[in-house]
């Protein structure tokens, strides 16, 4: 046990699951969403592997006795993510921008906060809270940012619950449902393929953000086109009115001038 603890890589989701099991998954989900220093934890890959670890092939991949309880993951995982995010929101509302008044370091960079603020302003409070769950680093910093920017706690809680369930249970179930196919294809060498698989999951999960950008861009172009048309129409109407006034004035004053 001592040798396993010393050899543990906290950034390796397979090591985390093998060493700490279900409790470790819960704690990391809480830390990644509730503590500013938790952003470096491998949340997406951890959830995917936790889903695999809850499947019938778990012992063959991770070792005998390491299979996790799927129901406990599906219930406890979102709860920990919800509580963590709610704590982050409370800290932001309580301490304001003082939380972010610190020099850049390996565990904190001002650009993380600015990126979270950008998503919050870009998509609005509700969408930002949900979509941020699927974006590493942003899901950690957006919660206190939402508190700093005055998002009401009840509104935050509602969308926090929605985002946590979609993120946690969605990725867990993907890992669980694909476990048999993964084991049949690659055996117990899943750690060699976890990064490409998780990268694919992240790409799929951020597609809504990409589509939102496209929709916003198209709406902005339509608005600009409508503004040009409106301006042209207004200019034409003004020119017509000016010509009419000139004609009326000419008819009234022209004979007298002669």
């Amino acid at each position: 046990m001592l040798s396993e603890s010393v050899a543990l890589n906290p950034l390796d989701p397979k090591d985390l699951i093998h060493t700490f099991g279900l409790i470790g998954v819960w704690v990391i989900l809480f830390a990644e969403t509730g503590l500013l220093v938790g952003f470096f934890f491998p949340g997406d890959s951890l959830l995917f592997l936790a889903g695999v670890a809850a499947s019938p092939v778990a012992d063959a991949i991770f070792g005998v006795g390491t299979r996790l309880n799927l129901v406990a993951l599906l219930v406890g995982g979102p709860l920990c993510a919800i509580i963590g995010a709610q704590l982050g929101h409370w800290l932001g509302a309580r301490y304001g921008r003082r939380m972010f008044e610190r020099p850049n370091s390996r565990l904190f960079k001002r650009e993380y906060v600015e990126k979270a603020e950008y998503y919050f302003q870009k998509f609005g409070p509700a969408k930002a809270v949900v979509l941020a769950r699927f974006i590493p680093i942003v899901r950690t910093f957006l919660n206190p940012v939402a508190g700093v920017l005055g998002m009401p706690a009840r509104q935050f809680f509602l969308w926090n619950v929605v985002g946590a369930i979609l993120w946690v249970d969605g990725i867990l179930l993907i890992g669980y449902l694909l476990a048999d196919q993964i084991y049949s294809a690659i055996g117990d060498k899943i750690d060699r393929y976890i990064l490409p698989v998780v990268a694919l999951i992240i790409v799929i999960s951020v597609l809504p953000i990409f589509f939102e950008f496209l929709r916003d861009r198209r709406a902005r172009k339509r608005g600009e086109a409508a503004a040009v048309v409106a301006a042209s129409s207004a200019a034409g109407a003004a020119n017509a009115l000016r010509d009419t006034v000139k004609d009326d004035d000419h008819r009234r004053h022209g004979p007298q001038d002669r």
Side-chain angles (χ1 to χ4, degrees), residues 211-223:
F211 291 135
E212 193 71 26
F213 270 116
L214 287 181
R215 188 170 67 177
D216 180 72
R217 185 176 179 181
R218 289 172 182 172
R220 188 166 59 251
K221 287 184 176 180
R222 285 196 297 267

Side-chain angles (χ1 to χ4, degrees), residues 1-230:
M1 176 66 73
L2 178 61
S3 62
E4 288 182 358
S5 299
V6 172
L8 172 69
N9 178 1
L11 301 182
D12 187 331
K14 188 174 179 180
D15 277 1
L16 291 170
I17 291 174
H18 187 270
T19 305
F20 298 111
L22 182 63
I23 301 299
V25 175
W26 287 346
V27 169
I28 288 172
L29 288 176
F30 170 81
E32 188 179 9
T33 55
L35 306 176
L36 291 184
V37 296
F39 70 88
F40 61 85
F41 284 121
D44 298 300
S45 54
L46 178 69
L47 286 171
F48 180 79
L49 280 185
V52 175
S55 71
V57 298
D59 288 346
I61 294 177
F62 296 97
V64 178
T66 57
R67 184 174 180 181
L68 304 181
N69 185 290
L70 180 62
V71 175
L73 284 171
L74 293 175
V75 175
L79 282 176
C80 292
I82 290 167
I83 294 171
Q86 210 66 34
L87 172 62
H89 177 273
W90 179 84
L91 290 173
R94 175 68 176 82
Y95 296 103
R97 293 195 176 274
R98 286 179 294 170
M99 291 186 62
F100 309 131
E101 292 177 353
R102 61 181 74 179
N104 287 340
S105 65
R106 295 182 64 182
L107 295 181
F108 175 84
K109 294 188 186 303
R110 178 66 195 176
E111 65 186 77
Y112 299 157
V113 180
E114 293 172 351
K115 191 173 183 180
E117 289 182 346
Y118 169 78
Y119 280 107
F120 191 88
Q121 301 290 355
K122 178 72 174 179
F123 298 111
K127 287 183 181 179
V129 172
V130 175
L131 294 176
R133 288 289 189 178
F134 298 91
I135 309 174
I137 298 179
V138 174
R139 64 171 156 258
T140 301
F141 285 88
L142 188 128
N143 304 318
V145 164
V148 171
L149 297 180
M151 185 176 183
R154 289 185 179 181
Q155 182 189 17
F156 179 84
F157 176 74
L158 171 63
W159 297 108
N160 176 23
V161 171
V162 173
I165 293 174
L166 290 176
W167 176 55
V168 176
D169 287 353
I171 298 181
L172 280 173
L173 289 174
I174 290 174
Y176 179 82
L177 295 174
L178 294 180
D180 284 335
Q181 292 89 330
I182 292 173
Y183 184 67
S184 297
I186 61 177
D188 62 353
K189 306 301 182 184
I190 192 171
D191 51 330
R192 296 182 183 179
Y193 300 90
I194 185 61
L195 288 180
V197 171
V198 172
L200 178 62
I201 293 173
I202 293 175
V203 168
I204 294 173
S205 65
V206 299
L207 282 178
I209 299 174
F210 175 73
F211 291 135
E212 193 71 26
F213 270 116
L214 287 181
R215 188 170 67 177
D216 180 72
R217 185 176 179 181
R218 289 172 182 172
R220 188 166 59 251
K221 287 184 176 180
R222 285 196 297 267
E224 291 174 354
V228 170
V229 171

